[in-house]
């Protein structure tokens, strides 16, 4: 069974740093794109950062210069390095990946269960 498992969330003071990890596991034939979304209380889920299989990256304006997305293709893992965190970064962060299972010819959108990031002022 293909799945994504996040880790690395927690409580941090404003100005601090956290590194989120998301590992894909199971019978995976190929991974196309990976990304991080977040959802704050009372708000819609938004894309924070994304990276293609070719290494192109995209960030929401509010995190540019502070967050960095990267991958370890050998480990099927995507990371989100978050620096200079602000209270408005507080949210549940979800990992997302477009993956093709070995049992399918199609790419499927997968989601992790989320990890909570809380930034105190």
């Amino acid at each position: 069974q293909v799945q994504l498992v996040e880790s690395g969330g927690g409580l941090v003071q404003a100005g601090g740093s956290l590194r989120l990890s998301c590992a894909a596991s199971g019978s995976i034939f190929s991974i196309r794109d990976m990304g991080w979304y977040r959802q704050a209380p009372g708000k819609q889920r938004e894309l924070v950062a994304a990276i293609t299989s070719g290494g192109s990256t995209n960030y929401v304006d509010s995190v540019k210069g502070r967050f960095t997305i990267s991958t370890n293709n050998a480990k099927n893992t995507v990371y989100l390095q978050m620096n200079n965190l602000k209270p408005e970064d507080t949210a549940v962060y979800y990992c997302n990946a477009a993956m093709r299972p070995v049992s399918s010819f199609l790419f499927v959108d997968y989601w992790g269960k989320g990890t909570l990031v809380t930034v105190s002022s």
Side-chain angles (χ1 to χ4, degrees):
Q1 182 178 355
V2 175
Q3 62 178 353
L4 296 171
V5 178
E6 304 107 331
S7 61
L11 173 64
V12 64
Q13 289 189 331
S17 299
L18 282 175
R19 189 193 195 205
L20 304 183
S21 299
C22 172
S25 63
S27 300
I28 302 167
F29 182 82
S30 178
I31 300 176
R32 189 173 62 198
D33 306 321
M34 302 187 84
W36 290 93
Y37 287 71
R38 68 185 178 187
Q39 188 166 19
K43 295 189 176 181
Q44 290 188 332
R45 189 175 298 190
E46 67 170 351
L47 175 65
V48 177
I51 185 167
T52 68
S53 57
S56 297
T57 58
N58 182 44
Y59 298 91
V60 67
D61 286 346
S62 60
V63 308
K64 285 180 180 177
R66 301 188 297 122
F67 291 10
T68 303
I69 189 170
S70 62
T71 57
N72 182 326
N73 293 329
K75 294 183 178 181
N76 288 340
T77 300
V78 61
Y79 306 96
L80 186 67
Q81 178 66 43
M82 306 185 293
N83 298 327
N84 190 20
L85 283 159
K86 303 176 180 181
E88 51 264 42
D89 295 317
T90 295
V92 177
Y93 284 71
Y94 297 90
C95 177
N96 170 262
M99 300 189 287
R100 178 185 160 188
V102 297
S103 59
S104 174
F105 291 105
L106 301 175
F107 281 89
V108 179
D109 222 20
Y110 288 89
W111 291 89
K113 293 183 178 181
T115 184
L116 178 62
V117 172
T118 304
V119 184
S120 63
S121 57

